[in-house]
Amino acid sequence: MSDRTDIAGIRTRLHGVLQHGSRIIATLLALMPPLLYFATARATIESEIDLEARFIAGMVGEIAASNPTHWTFEGVRIEQALTRVVDESDHESRLVLASDGEVLATQGARPPWPVLRVDHSIVAHGERVGAVVIVKSIMDILREAVLIGVLSAFAMGLAYLLLGRVPQRLLDSAMRQVTHLATHDVLTGLPNRGVFMDRLQLALATLRRDGGGAVALFCLDLDRFKEVNDTLGHAMGDELLRQAADRLRRELRDTDTLVRLGGDEFAIIQPRLNHPHSAEVLAQRLIDAVEEPFDLGRHQVRVGVSVGIALAQGRGHPEAEVLLSDADTALYAAKRDGRGTFRFFAEDMNVALRRRRAMETDLRQALARGEFELYYQPQVNLSTGALTGVEALLRWNHPERGFVTPDNFIPLAEEIGLLPQIGAWVLREACANAQRWKDMTIAVNVSAHQIHAGGFETLVARALAESGLPASRLEIEITEGVLLTQTEATIGTLEQIRALGVSIAMDDFGTGYSSLGYLQRFRFDKLKIDRSFIASLGTDPSASAIVDAVLGITRALGVRANAEGVETEEQARMLCERGCNEAQGWLFGRPVPASQIDTLLADRITAAAE
Ligand SMILES: Nc1nc2c(ncn2[C@@H]2O[C@@H]3COP(=O)(O)O[C@H]4[C@@H](O)[C@H](n5cnc6c(=O)[nH]c(N)nc65)O[C@@H]4COP(=O)(O)O[C@H]3[C@H]2O)c(=O)[nH]1
């Protein structure tokens, strides 16, 4: 089923092998001393009686040599030869045989089994005339060997009992480490997906048995993690994951399970829930915990976390895999609804998710299929009405959906990491088109992802070189969001771009929350007043006051101002009165394809000539 079950099996098998192994080794060690003793003692006895037999055979051989024809009748002398050699022994018998096997003399009774026997030939005048045979019992040494065996088995048994635990303990500790590695995430020390599925199944089985209460499954994903990882490096990314895991862990009870599913994705099982509200409370606590800034060495970064929750209630709840997929769907919904938030799974989310996934697939192919197009919106000098430049606005010409506006696909492109590629195309295309529109500036929108992805200044320089567009005619528009993270690095990049001769404009000015601070840190060439203020100009006194204030700032800093979204003559007049230099909006022209800007410019040249 899982890694843990496999490891338990391996552990039992290893344990068995170890026990068997130690038993075999202990038995061999216990057998060694008696076997050694027996073999040595037997060899000693054998060489002793062999020497005896040889000695007796020598003496009898002399008798035979002195009386070759009747030596077998020399019974007395032969028996003397037998007894002269050694003391009598209860466990040894000696025989002198004639060459035909007749027994000529014996000494000692037949010894008890087991016995050792040696033969030695009697030689006279170079011929074998008989033999000396000695048979000796080895019962004594066998008994001693058995005794030694019993003692050594006892000693080995004792040693096995005392030391047998050592390999067992080593195995246990090794197995503990292996089990931990196989069931935990190395980076955060949290349990991994295998453990998670086991615990989820267990929690669901308990719920099915008990019937009451609920199990909540949370899927979490860090917001803006990729940004930190890409820009500060993987070591910082890892550190962020460790710290985030710690913060999440601190919000949980012992009975809850927190795991890292991979990357910046985490999951939590909250078992035995009395009311879904408890899941909501926990989700909010998790979001609050991760929202606080993280200290990563010299950097302080803010990320967030989005949470999707799926609930299993009563007996008829979905299986673990389905529940996990539901929580993941809810997570998508939370991400789509603005991040840093939580969503409970609802059936209709699946439909939305399928739609989003389809859009994702289409978006990945859009660039290769040439489905993107740039539209250009005129920017005019408010006092003269002259066309000063255009802003490039991206459109996705989807074969089925028709024209898709950037607000509907740029966040998705950002999320799936496609924006740097799309942005590079926008930059090249805008510069290439603008090159032929003499004396006009071209403004290109650039998002945080593009700048933070690195190498942006090179991209700008290359687009200028390839198109031949003078740098002074290119304007990069960024929003405050770009400066929100990695402010120093971003300012560095912007300065490099400006060093090329390119202008930098701040878009949607006034809608962020710390614009003034950024103005002090980086000198923008232009501030674009957000269209929400222009729309309320003349009707909402506070909007008018904000427009006045922004224009005051631009004058004080000596930078240009552009009013966005000017739709009426009245708005244009009020802005002109307030000293705004430049504007754009439907009053002057909607975003149009490049060909229409060509026509517009051609008409103006013709009109000027007439
Ligand atoms: N109601 C009203 N709206 C007006 C008027 N005049 C212009 N607009 C719309 O206001 C938006 C101005 O662009 P933005 O503030 O830079 O805001 C842009 C910009 O932030 C982003 N965007 C557009 N093109 C690109 C691109 O190539 N790259 C990136 N990163 N972002 C882009 O998408 C946003 C939306 O673009 P659009 O949908 O084209 O919407 C454009 C434009 O069509 C007006 O008089 N009334």
Side-chain angles (χ1 to χ4, degrees):
M1 181 169 70
S2 69
D3 295 347
R4 285 200 309 157
T5 325
D6 293 346
I7 284 171
I10 294 171
R11 186 197 180 103
T12 317
R13 279 201 294 278
L14 269 180
H15 191 237
V17 168
L18 202 71
Q19 273 200 336
H20 255 73
S22 7
R23 261 189 225 124
I24 291 169
I25 291 170
T27 312
L28 288 177
L29 287 178
L31 281 176
M32 207 82 97
L35 286 176
L36 268 176
Y37 172 78
F38 181 76
T40 334
R42 184 184 180 284
T44 312
I45 290 175
E46 197 170 21
S47 73
E48 274 172 13
I49 57 175
D50 185 64
L51 199 66
E52 272 177 38
R54 191 179 305 181
F55 196 70
I56 296 167
M59 287 195 290
V60 178
E62 277 173 24
I63 296 168
S66 63
N67 183 5
T69 43
H70 299 292
W71 74 274
T72 52
F73 299 115
E74 297 268 9
V76 178
R77 285 175 70 197
I78 293 171
E79 269 174 25
Q80 275 175 349
L82 270 187
T83 48
R84 259 182 63 194
V85 185
V86 278
D87 297 336
E88 278 193 21
S89 159
D90 288 342
H91 303 306
E92 187 178 315
S93 68
R94 300 173 191 136
L95 291 92
V96 176
L97 308 174
S99 56
D100 58 1
E102 183 195 349
V103 178
L104 302 178
T106 63
Q107 190 211 7
R110 189 180 177 75
W113 185 90
V115 291
L116 252 182
R117 175 192 161 118
V118 295
D119 289 38
H120 230 288
S121 301
I122 302 167
V123 180
H125 300 295
E127 269 184 40
R128 185 181 184 276
V129 293
V132 174
V133 175
I134 299 182
V135 179
K136 181 159 180 132
S137 170
I138 51 169
M139 179 50 107
D140 286 351
I141 61 163
L142 189 66
R143 208 176 289 131
E144 279 155 16
V146 169
L147 187 65
I148 291 172
V150 170
L151 286 175
S152 96
F154 177 73
M156 280 304 152
L158 205 63
Y160 175 74
L161 273 183
L162 294 175
L163 301 176
R165 304 228 165 265
V166 174
Q168 184 57 49
R169 230 173 288 145
L170 288 177
L171 174 71
D172 280 350
S173 114
M175 288 316 289
R176 263 197 302 278
Q177 279 183 33
V178 171
T179 310
H180 189 85
L181 281 177
T183 54
H184 286 74
D185 167 41
V186 181
L187 184 70
T188 57
L190 294 175
N192 64 15
R193 200 187 184 97
V195 179
F196 166 73
M197 289 314 280
D198 278 359
R199 294 207 187 150
L200 182 58
Q201 270 154 0
L202 184 70
L204 294 179
T206 313
L207 181 68
R208 213 168 295 136
R209 195 194 57 211
D210 299 348
V215 171
L217 178 60
F218 298 68
C219 272
L220 303 95
D221 188 288
L222 296 184
D223 305 326
R224 294 182 294 277
F225 171 75
K226 196 175 174 302
E227 224 171 287
V228 175
N229 211 33
D230 287 349
T231 50
L232 298 186
H234 293 279
M236 289 295 169
D238 286 354
E239 179 56 25
L240 174 61
L241 287 173
R242 268 191 291 269
Q243 290 190 24
D246 281 347
R247 287 195 194 174
L248 295 174
R249 195 169 11 213
R250 279 202 292 270
E251 298 304 320
L252 302 179
R253 292 201 188 135
D254 290 348
T255 46
D256 301 336
T257 302
L258 167 67
V259 299
R260 185 163 83 109
L261 294 179
D264 59 337
E265 270 185 63
F266 295 86
I268 294 169
I269 306 165
Q270 194 184 21
R272 282 181 249 132
L273 209 70
N274 290 328
H275 197 279
H277 179 63
S278 313
E280 202 174 315
V281 171
L282 176 60
Q284 193 54 56
R285 276 214 320 269
L286 297 169
I287 291 169
D288 294 345
V290 178
E291 217 167 55
E292 291 298 310
F294 286 85
D295 278 320
L296 301 179
R298 289 181 296 116
H299 307 273
Q300 207 186 43
V301 297
R302 272 180 186 279
V303 289
V305 67
S306 301
V307 186
I309 312 164
L311 284 177
Q313 284 172 293
R315 289 204 164 87
H317 56 73
E319 287 302 316
E321 293 289 353
V322 179
L323 202 65
L324 184 59
S325 143
D326 289 353
D328 197 41
T329 304
L331 172 63
Y332 259 109
K335 285 241 171 236
R336 189 198 49 214
D337 294 352
R339 296 152 188 250
T341 179
F342 67 88
R343 290 287 175 270
F344 278 94
F345 171 76
E347 274 307 327
D348 57 359
M349 281 181 183
N350 271 330
V351 180
L353 181 70
R354 267 201 297 277
R355 217 178 294 138
R356 190 199 128 106
R357 293 233 160 108
M359 179 115 160
E360 210 177 294
T361 314
D362 290 350
L363 195 54
R364 287 187 193 281
Q365 296 163 347
L367 204 55
R369 289 181 178 171
E371 290 172 1
F372 289 121
E373 187 177 354
L374 283 186
Y375 270 42
Y376 298 89
Q377 183 173 39
Q379 295 177 328
V380 297
N381 180 315
L382 264 182
S383 30
T384 62
L387 184 62
T388 55
V390 286
E391 177 181 359
L393 293 161
L394 184 58
R395 299 290 179 264
W396 178 15
N397 194 359
H398 191 280
E400 285 141 33
R401 297 173 214 256
F403 262 130
V404 188
T405 51
D407 288 338
N408 290 310
F409 69 85
I410 285 200
L412 180 61
E414 252 176 33
E415 213 171 291
I416 61 177
L418 272 184
L419 203 58
Q421 270 166 275
I422 299 176
W425 176 85
V426 169
L427 203 58
R428 282 199 307 274
E429 177 77 5
C431 290
N433 275 327
Q435 198 275 336
R436 62 177 188 264
W437 301 327
K438 297 280 174 265
D439 304 326
M440 291 217 308
T441 56
I442 172 94
V444 175
N445 288 281
V446 169
S447 77
H449 267 67
Q450 289 171 262
I451 294 193
H452 297 163
F456 185 65
E457 60 285 359
T458 318
L459 215 64
V460 173
R462 199 177 304 152
L464 288 172
E466 281 171 9
S467 63
L469 180 76
S472 57
R473 283 174 50 204
L474 177 64
E475 189 170 87
I476 296 294
E477 284 189 17
I478 61 157
T479 56
E480 283 167 53
V482 174
L483 289 161
L484 222 62
T485 50
Q486 306 155 49
T487 315
E488 290 312 318
T490 307
I491 288 177
T493 307
L494 293 179
E495 266 160 4
Q496 276 176 289
I497 296 169
R498 198 173 23 215
L500 298 171
V502 176
S503 329
I504 315 283
M506 184 184 269
D507 205 1
D508 304 339
F509 187 72
T511 52
Y513 54 87
S514 52
S515 325
L516 299 180
Y518 291 134
L519 290 184
Q520 213 177 11
R521 300 181 69 178
F522 183 77
R523 195 180 56 74
F524 285 90
D525 300 287
K526 185 192 276 184
L527 300 186
K528 294 188 77 175
I529 310 168
D530 191 68
R531 71 166 183 266
S532 57
F533 303 118
I534 309 299
S536 317
L537 200 62
T539 51
D540 178 354
S542 59
S544 309
I546 290 172
V547 172
D548 282 338
V550 176
L551 290 172
I553 291 171
T554 58
R555 272 191 292 275
L557 295 176
V559 303
R560 285 173 288 135
N562 172 306
E564 293 184 280
V566 179
E567 294 182 0
T568 65
E569 293 283 359
E570 182 61 6
Q571 289 164 349
R573 189 187 56 75
M574 282 191 286
L575 285 162
C576 204
E577 275 172 12
R578 287 172 157 82
C580 181
N581 343 74
E582 188 187 284
Q584 69 186 85
W586 294 347
L587 177 67
F588 311 106
R590 295 200 176 220
V592 289
S595 58
Q596 289 194 36
I597 299 288
D598 289 334
T599 315
L600 189 78
L601 289 175
D603 289 351
R604 290 205 174 189
I605 292 167
T606 317
E610 285 164 0

